[in-house]
Amino acid sequence: MPHLSINSQTVEFQPGQTILDLCEALSINIPTLCHLAGTTPTGTCGVCLVEEAKAGMVKACSTPAEAGLEIRTHGVAVREARKKAIEALVATGNHNCGVAGAMTESFTDFQMDAGDMEASYDLCPVWGDCRLQDLVYEYQARTGLFDSGWKKEVPDVANPMIVRDFSRCIGCGRCVKACNEVQVNLAIDMDRSNGRDVVATKEGNGLVESNCVFCGECIQACPVGALVEKKAQNQWRPWEIEKIRTTCPYCGVGCQQWLHVKDEKIVKVTGVEEGAPNKGRLCVKGRFGYDFIYSDERIKRPVIRENGEFKEVSWDHALDYTADRLKAIIDESGPDALAGVSCARSINEDSYQMQKLFRAVFKTNNIDHCART
Ligand code: SF4
Ligand code: SF4
Ligand code: SF4
Ligand code: FES
């Protein structure tokens, strides 16, 4: 098997593996930003640099393993090269990390005001939950080193679910990979027509008019504050959040979710990256459709319709009433006069019991499930 060396250790590899793949297998920590697991590398950010004896600095995420390479993953030169890449990224946009530059009011007033403004570009909505900010700290990178000519843009808040603030976009391309290669929705791409990488819909129109199905995968992939959930914006800080793993209740796929809960209220939902079957992916319902839990219109007690009006009753009354009606229908017209449809939002075990009730107790095969198709 071909081999190379990493930090003087001989490492065998399979064709198609990258330096990053090998380092991950060896538990060597290489910082990454634009890399999105399972997609083709873009190599845009440069923070995964490692040193090769002959070639110099190479990007671990996009450099294929080759026999004879001699890789060093740490050292002053590697650290400095990564730091420069991080400083270049920070200089591309509005990465103030909530530091209120020329403000005249107190920091608290500034934060409160900025948090109240939906389209504020002063307070970054992902402060404390940003991969770039983490790297700036880890590598002690300096900000504002040079003027890249970026211009302040008021965040686009027109969309009901997604806030896009391209003054914080670092052009990493992860959202494009997430849309085109993970979800295969083919809604967005990198537009380079103005000499700068800008994320745009394929047709150049708005998200609503595009192929976008509002799955929000691009938000989950964005490592900075350029794409955020509108409902979650400025509502929480990472240390206030309890993450609870659960199964999406909407359909029979059973996607694994993280509920981000603050003060016993869900403020955001993300997919569990390592969890089958969805591997981090969610659809629009699973990601954004959690408000119903808090609706005043939720039916929390059994109701029976009498004379066209719904009347709240006890569980005992509702169960007795239902059993009596089912028995009466069977007595009058036979078991095939009944039909049951199990809800896809039920768990497997409940649906199993539903068909058992119809087949074994009522003696009819008239049982179906709304996720069957
Ligand atoms: S996107 Fe990240 S680096 Fe940029 S301002 Fe927000 S927290 Fe800071
Ligand atoms: S929400 Fe989904 S479909 Fe729309 S741009 Fe993002 S990843 Fe693509
Ligand atoms: S919007 Fe986010 S994920 Fe997309 S290119 Fe910009 S920084 Fe990267
Ligand atoms: S993670 Fe390798 S270039 Fe971005």
Side-chain angles (χ1 to χ4, degrees):
M1 196 179 278
H3 58 269
L4 48 69
S5 91
I6 297 181
N7 299 337
S8 304
Q9 184 182 347
T10 301
V11 182
E12 294 185 337
F13 63 89
Q14 305 276 355
Q17 285 189 294
T18 62
I19 304 297
L20 182 64
D21 293 334
L22 300 181
C23 290
E24 282 177 350
L26 294 169
S27 300
I28 297 171
N29 178 34
I30 305 286
T32 61
L33 231 169
C34 66
H35 171 71
L36 185 65
T39 64
T40 49
T42 54
T44 51
C45 76
V47 305
C48 65
L49 290 172
V50 294
E51 194 172 13
E52 202 282 319
K54 294 192 193 70
M57 294 298 162
V58 296
K59 292 168 182 171
C61 71
S62 55
T63 303
E66 274 179 34
L69 292 184
E70 292 174 40
I71 303 291
R72 275 168 57 86
T73 63
H74 293 91
V76 175
V78 171
R79 192 175 167 85
E80 281 303 309
R82 289 177 187 165
K83 183 173 166 179
K84 278 206 178 78
I86 296 163
E87 287 169 345
L89 288 170
V90 172
T92 59
N94 185 19
H95 297 292
N96 58 10
C97 293
V99 179
M103 69 184 184
T104 49
E105 70 263 70
S106 78
F107 189 73
T108 306
D109 288 345
F110 158 75
Q111 293 242 349
M112 296 304 287
D113 286 350
D116 283 345
M117 281 185 285
E118 200 175 44
S120 170
Y121 44 64
D122 288 329
L123 183 64
C124 181
V126 300
W127 195 99
D129 188 31
C130 171
R131 180 78 183 123
L132 181 58
Q133 190 186 46
D134 291 347
L135 288 170
V136 168
Y137 174 70
E138 187 182 338
Y139 282 80
Q140 294 292 293
R142 295 151 300 172
T143 58
L145 282 186
F146 53 88
D147 180 9
S148 68
W150 70 270
K151 296 199 175 40
K152 275 188 175 176
E153 292 169 50
V154 177
D156 175 1
V157 296
N159 191 274
M161 283 174 279
I162 302 175
V163 174
R164 307 205 291 175
D165 180 357
F166 287 145
S167 64
R168 287 196 165 88
C169 175
I170 54 171
C172 69
R174 279 172 61 104
C175 54
V176 173
K177 294 284 165 188
C179 186
N180 294 333
E181 294 187 27
V182 177
Q183 296 287 53
V184 201
N185 287 326
L186 313 180
I188 52 175
D189 212 339
M190 276 295 178
D191 177 3
R192 297 191 171 87
S193 54
N194 288 326
R196 180 177 172 238
D197 285 338
V198 178
V199 182
T201 62
K202 297 226 176 183
E203 297 80 17
N205 48 7
L207 275 183
V208 172
E209 297 81 35
S210 75
N211 282 348
C212 178
V213 294
F214 296 101
C215 64
E217 198 70 18
C218 49
I219 305 175
Q220 186 161 322
C222 184
V224 293
L227 292 172
V228 291
E229 292 91 343
K230 192 170 195 178
K231 283 195 285 194
Q233 192 184 15
N234 298 332
Q235 301 295 310
W236 56 278
R237 287 301 184 213
W239 50 89
E240 299 173 323
I241 292 298
E242 183 187 1
K243 275 172 79 178
I244 298 171
R245 184 169 169 165
T246 190
T247 303
C248 178
Y250 272 111
C251 82
V253 175
C255 289
Q256 293 298 292
Q257 301 174 310
W258 287 116
L259 305 181
H260 300 240
V261 178
K262 177 185 171 187
D263 299 335
E264 301 189 350
K265 193 160 183 196
I266 300 169
V267 291
K268 168 171 147 164
V269 175
T270 52
V272 179
E273 295 288 352
E274 66 283 5
N278 51 316
K279 298 282 183 191
R281 287 166 283 191
L282 291 174
C283 74
V284 61
K285 293 181 292 180
R287 192 179 304 278
F288 296 113
Y290 52 85
D291 306 71
F292 71 91
I293 301 173
Y294 308 109
S295 169
D296 291 337
E297 294 176 359
R298 274 190 80 181
I299 299 172
K300 296 178 181 163
R301 308 273 306 165
V303 290
I304 288 176
R305 184 156 47 196
E306 277 182 8
N307 304 322
E309 298 282 322
F310 285 113
K311 190 176 130 202
E312 208 170 86
V313 295
S314 70
W315 279 106
D316 282 345
H317 181 86
L319 288 169
D320 287 345
Y321 175 86
T322 307
D324 289 345
R325 287 292 300 132
L326 290 170
K327 274 189 226 157
I329 293 168
I330 293 170
D331 289 346
E332 198 177 295
S333 312
D336 282 340
L338 295 180
V341 178
S342 177
C343 175
R345 292 169 69 167
S346 312
I347 58 174
N348 272 347
E349 289 76 4
D350 284 351
S351 288
Y352 176 82
Q353 293 197 26
M354 176 87 168
Q355 65 85 29
K356 201 75 179 164
L357 178 71
F358 270 71
R359 292 201 169 106
V361 180
F362 298 155
K363 312 287 186 203
T364 177
N365 286 322
N366 290 345
I367 177 74
D368 209 340
H369 186 279
C370 62
R372 179 172 62 89
T373 54

